[in-house]
Amino acid sequence: MTTTTPLVDPRVIGLAHYAGRALLQQVLDRHGMTFEQSVTLRLAAIADGPVGCEQLVDGVTEALRTGAGEVHGVLDELITAGLLTPDGEAEVRITDAGRELYAITSAATAPITARIYDGIPAEDLAVTGRVLTLLTERYTELATLTR
């Protein structure tokens, strides 16, 4: 019996996404974090200093295709947990505890990511990256047109 490689389609993309997210969620669960909190904390961690709340909200809503109200709630959760702190009227900055948690979860996921991508040729990763970027652009364009 021969197995043929499936062409990329929404199902294949979805299966890969959810498989990866399930592995990440195992790490996040050990630290009492949600996926949305991890995405938000990452954006604050990679910022050079304080970041505007609306900039964070925009970044998370774009990444997760979720509503701004939900992301504002996530910001509140991270502030309440002491992982972010207000910095002025409309900005937040990551706290030492937030930076430590980000470092811990990043370090925990790094070997998982390395194992998943191990042995995949760079050319294949480049093609996949181009295709997924194009698909994301098209999905975003269609979503805008259908609102």
Side-chain angles (χ1 to χ4, degrees):
M1 176 179 183
T2 58
T3 305
T4 59
T5 303
L7 296 176
V8 71
D9 64 15
R11 181 180 179 277
V12 169
I13 293 169
L15 289 173
H17 165 76
Y18 286 113
R21 185 162 170 180
L23 282 174
L24 173 59
Q25 193 60 55
Q26 289 177 7
V27 172
L28 297 176
D29 285 347
R30 290 194 296 263
H31 300 282
M33 288 189 77
T34 67
F35 180 69
E36 294 78 11
Q37 289 171 338
S38 74
V39 170
T40 307
L41 191 63
R42 179 188 175 279
L43 290 177
I46 65 172
D48 291 329
V51 61
C53 292
E54 291 309 312
Q55 181 183 349
L56 269 179
V57 168
D58 290 346
V60 176
T61 57
E62 181 179 323
L64 301 181
R65 305 297 190 244
T66 190
E70 181 179 334
V71 179
H72 279 286
V74 171
L75 279 176
D76 291 342
E77 293 167 1
L78 293 171
I79 290 169
T80 299
L83 303 173
L84 295 179
T85 189
D87 192 313
E89 294 268 331
E91 293 183 325
V92 293
R93 64 180 164 78
I94 193 166
T95 64
D96 290 342
R99 193 164 300 288
E100 181 180 353
L101 181 57
Y102 174 72
I104 289 169
T105 56
S106 295
T109 58
I112 296 168
T113 301
R115 184 171 177 197
I116 290 168
Y117 286 87
D118 185 43
I120 301 174
E123 304 82 36
D124 290 353
L125 294 173
V127 169
T128 303
R130 283 193 302 274
V131 169
L132 291 175
T133 298
L134 178 60
L135 291 173
T136 301
E137 290 169 0
R138 290 179 178 179
Y139 280 123
T140 302
E141 178 185 330
L142 286 173
T144 303
L145 293 174
T146 59
R147 284 189 193 150

